[in-house]
Amino acid sequence: MANARLDEGDKRELSEAEALVEADRPRRPTRARRKNADGEPADNNIDILDVAAQCFMEMGFQGASIDDVARRLGATKGRIYHYYRSKTDLFFDVHREGMRRLNEAVHAAMQTGSTGRETLHAMLEAHALTMLQNIAYLAVVVQGVHMHRLGATTLAQRQVLDEIMAIRRDFEHLFIDVFRRGQEDGSIRAENASIAVKGMLGAVNWTAIWYRPRSGETLEHKQKIARELATRQVEGII
Amino acid sequence: MANARLDEGDKRELSEAEALVEADRPRRPTRARRKNADGEPADNNIDILDVAAQCFMEMGFQGASIDDVARRLGATKGRIYHYYRSKTDLFFDVHREGMRRLNEAVHAAMQTGSTGRETLHAMLEAHALTMLQNIAYLAVVVQGVHMHRLGATTLAQRQVLDEIMAIRRDFEHLFIDVFRRGQEDGSIRAENASIAVKGMLGAVNWTAIWYRPRSGETLEHKQKIARELATRQVEGII
DNA sequence: CATTAAACATACTACTGGGTATGTTGCAAT
DNA sequence: ATTGCAACATACCCAGTAGTATGTTTAATG
């Protein structure tokens, strides 16, 4: 959860001493000060992340302004810039949190199943369900993927973007590896793991476009959609 | 190809006479004046559309500026605003052209195949190939779909957006109908046509995210990818 | 109780980008 | 040849926006 250093290499140079101070004083406090009577962590930042995810999903990175996010928080820019050095920083932190949840769910599913096909099925279903349960965060993740070729980013941000894309590649390789395992144990007959996986992930990721939770939607309903999507990708429509 | 009227209902009211004049004088001339020696139509607007599609694909609707598009054209804003009343107008015209090409290809594929499954397979493959061949236009189409909930549009634009979404819904129903036909003739066993189709279209549309043509890429290679994607969606990976 | 720093809010700056108002040029019909 | 209009280019306006500099309040700490 450490705040990644974006926008480094600015015009303003940091002396070595300043850099050390910067390193020792975390930009985001480890513990919240306010309203700790009930013992809850009261993590103030999750509010910002949630609202930011919502705004970025609805209006896109360029379309959503910092003021938009602040307004929805019932606050002003000051609050956001107290925790994040830039809009890009905020966006990527949402992205990172989304990828974290996704990785968590998929890794758990990787432990299940015996054949490669069964494991892959479980991973797809977990992926889909996580999408439906965290649609705002994952919509931002999808945007971030699309953002890859956004040449107009500053040099320092590009480093972070590459890190994100590396995580993304690793994630995709999780599926490809299990796919190959399925080819070897005979549970998967299809060839060309790369394209097959891209198609399957596309079918699941596409939920970021069309799915919006109905009010009062039950978990069972989401599970049903996730199961249906995963099953179709494995078994086809025959 | 007629330029849809966006931004109507402005503060400036049109008298009835003015409205008639507006209707008689096409905003985009039916024929180009310049360099017609060789008899070619020399449609100046296709240049603008092509470049705009490229810019919107790379930087997104909000990210790409009119000046960006103009710069790539080796021109200035003036040229673009001579043909399009607003940035939104330009975007939707790219979108419309993309959907037109897509519809054309899919409708042609609908005439082939005997069983519902075979027809659906052909439609998916045609869809995928069209994506790969017109990635810029279709990336804009994908963006447009995502744009649906972009609450911040003016009232008049919303009307056009609804028109676009209606076309989109019709397009999706093409696949759902053929899917149901396949269920009836026994060539398709899967249930829940709606979710199944959303998954299949997702797998194909996702190419807008990951696919970028390699230089010197052959048509055969694109066909191979399209065929692979379509086959996987029909037969699964078993 | 004084000090200190976190956690914001306020006010401001500089700049971008959509849109417009107004030229300028060249072809074409009269 | 003159007029008229399409097809642009130039120059400008202004609203919005990322980012900053500077207050102000509150809570923990010595």
Side-chain angles (χ1 to χ4, degrees):
Chain A
M1 286 288 269
N3 205 354
R5 293 302 193 61
L6 294 177
D7 290 333
E8 264 180 354
D10 253 355
K11 53 268 169 185
R12 192 173 65 97
E13 302 247 18
L14 294 178
S15 74
E16 207 166 331
E18 279 178 319
L20 279 176
V21 170
E22 281 286 311
D24 281 359
R25 180 171 53 114
R27 274 205 95 55
R28 206 185 312 171
T30 50
R31 226 184 308 268
R33 286 271 203 85
R34 287 245 178 105
K35 297 189 177 181
N36 250 350
D38 52 349
E40 260 183 282
D43 193 343
N44 286 356
N45 296 104
I46 195 66
D47 295 342
I48 299 183
L49 271 190
D50 280 350
V51 172
Q54 199 75 27
C55 287
F56 285 140
M57 172 182 67
E58 293 177 9
M59 306 187 285
F61 173 69
Q62 318 263 5
S65 74
I66 294 286
D67 288 308
D68 286 334
V69 180
R71 203 174 305 128
R72 279 222 205 172
L73 277 166
T76 64
K77 275 162 121 77
R79 178 163 172 199
I80 296 176
Y81 277 103
H82 179 68
Y83 293 99
Y84 297 95
R85 310 196 84 185
S86 71
K87 182 183 175 181
T88 313
D89 199 356
L90 174 60
F91 181 83
F92 282 140
D93 227 38
V94 175
H95 186 114
R96 218 175 273 115
E97 173 63 15
M99 276 303 293
R100 198 194 57 75
R101 297 185 188 183
L102 200 55
N103 259 311
E104 196 177 61
V106 170
H107 271 94
M110 276 181 70
Q111 312 305 323
T112 73
S114 55
T115 69
R117 191 178 81 199
E118 284 170 5
T119 304
L120 190 62
H121 192 138
M123 288 166 68
L124 283 173
E125 193 172 323
H127 184 183
L129 185 59
T130 306
M131 294 281 311
L132 304 185
Q133 284 179 314
N134 303 274
I135 196 67
Y137 281 88
L138 273 306
V140 170
V141 167
V142 166
Q143 261 187 79
V145 177
H146 184 63
M147 223 161 163
H148 184 217
R149 312 261 174 182
L150 212 86
T153 48
T154 69
L155 292 82
Q157 296 173 351
R158 196 143 196 99
Q159 195 174 342
V160 182
L161 219 168
D162 286 347
E163 171 211 330
I164 300 261
M165 290 310 293
I167 295 179
R168 188 74 201 173
R169 251 192 304 277
D170 291 347
F171 182 75
E172 190 170 328
H173 259 290
L174 253 49
F175 288 80
I176 292 182
D177 289 344
V178 175
F179 194 99
R180 298 233 164 91
R181 210 185 80 205
Q183 288 176 318
E184 287 167 14
D185 67 26
S187 60
I188 294 177
R189 284 191 332 200
E191 300 171 5
N192 206 327
S194 178
I195 291 187
V197 165
K198 282 195 190 310
M200 299 191 318
L201 292 184
V204 173
N205 284 327
W206 195 244
T207 54
I209 306 286
W210 61 265
Y211 177 77
R212 291 296 178 276
R214 311 293 294 169
S215 67
E217 173 149 313
T218 152
L219 172 63
E220 281 76 26
H221 187 225
K222 292 178 184 174
Q223 286 174 328
K224 192 176 174 185
I225 297 177
R227 202 174 311 144
E228 185 74 18
L229 278 172
T231 302
R232 287 286 76 78
Q233 290 307 306
V234 172
E235 301 179 2
I237 61 176
I238 302 181
Chain B
M1 285 284 272
N3 205 355
R5 294 301 193 63
L6 295 177
D7 289 333
E8 263 181 354
D10 253 355
K11 54 268 171 186
R12 193 174 64 96
E13 302 249 19
L14 294 177
S15 74
E16 206 165 335
E18 279 178 318
L20 278 176
V21 170
E22 281 287 309
D24 280 359
R25 179 171 55 114
R27 235 84 206 97
R28 208 185 311 169
T30 49
R31 226 183 308 267
R33 287 273 203 84
R34 287 245 179 105
K35 298 188 176 182
N36 251 350
D38 51 350
E40 261 182 282
D43 193 341
N44 287 355
N45 297 104
I46 196 65
D47 296 342
I48 299 183
L49 271 189
D50 280 350
V51 173
Q54 199 75 26
C55 287
F56 286 141
M57 174 183 65
E58 293 177 9
M59 306 187 286
F61 173 69
Q62 317 264 2
S65 73
I66 295 286
D67 288 308
D68 287 333
V69 179
R71 202 173 307 129
R72 281 221 203 172
L73 276 166
T76 63
K77 276 169 94 94
R79 178 163 173 200
I80 297 176
Y81 277 103
H82 179 68
Y83 293 98
Y84 297 94
R85 310 195 84 182
S86 71
K87 183 182 176 183
T88 312
D89 199 356
L90 174 59
F91 180 84
F92 283 140
D93 226 40
V94 175
H95 186 114
R96 218 174 273 116
E97 174 62 14
M99 277 303 294
R100 197 193 58 75
R101 297 186 187 183
L102 201 54
N103 258 313
E104 195 177 62
V106 169
H107 270 94
M110 277 181 69
Q111 312 305 323
T112 73
S114 55
T115 69
R117 192 178 81 201
E118 284 169 4
T119 304
L120 189 62
H121 192 139
M123 289 166 68
L124 283 173
E125 195 172 322
H127 184 183
L129 185 59
T130 307
M131 294 281 311
L132 304 184
Q133 285 179 316
N134 304 273
I135 196 66
Y137 282 88
L138 274 305
V140 170
V141 168
V142 166
Q143 264 188 76
V145 176
H146 183 63
M147 222 162 164
H148 183 217
R149 312 264 175 180
L150 214 85
T153 48
T154 70
L155 293 83
Q157 296 173 352
R158 196 140 198 102
Q159 192 175 345
V160 182
L161 220 167
D162 286 347
E163 170 210 331
I164 300 260
M165 291 308 295
I167 295 179
R168 189 74 201 172
R169 251 191 302 278
D170 291 346
F171 181 75
E172 191 171 328
H173 259 290
L174 252 49
F175 288 81
I176 292 182
D177 289 344
V178 175
F179 194 98
R180 298 233 163 91
R181 208 185 81 205
Q183 288 176 320
E184 286 166 15
D185 67 27
S187 60
I188 295 176
R189 282 194 333 202
E191 300 171 4
N192 206 329
S194 177
I195 292 187
V197 165
K198 281 194 190 311
M200 302 190 317
L201 293 185
V204 173
N205 284 328
W206 195 245
T207 54
I209 307 285
W210 62 265
Y211 177 76
R212 291 296 177 277
R214 312 291 295 167
S215 66
E217 174 149 312
T218 150
L219 172 63
E220 281 76 26
H221 187 225
K222 291 178 185 175
Q223 286 174 328
K224 193 176 173 185
I225 297 177
R227 202 174 312 143
E228 186 73 20
L229 278 172
T231 303
R232 288 285 76 76
Q233 290 306 307
V234 171
E235 300 179 2
I237 61 175
I238 301 181

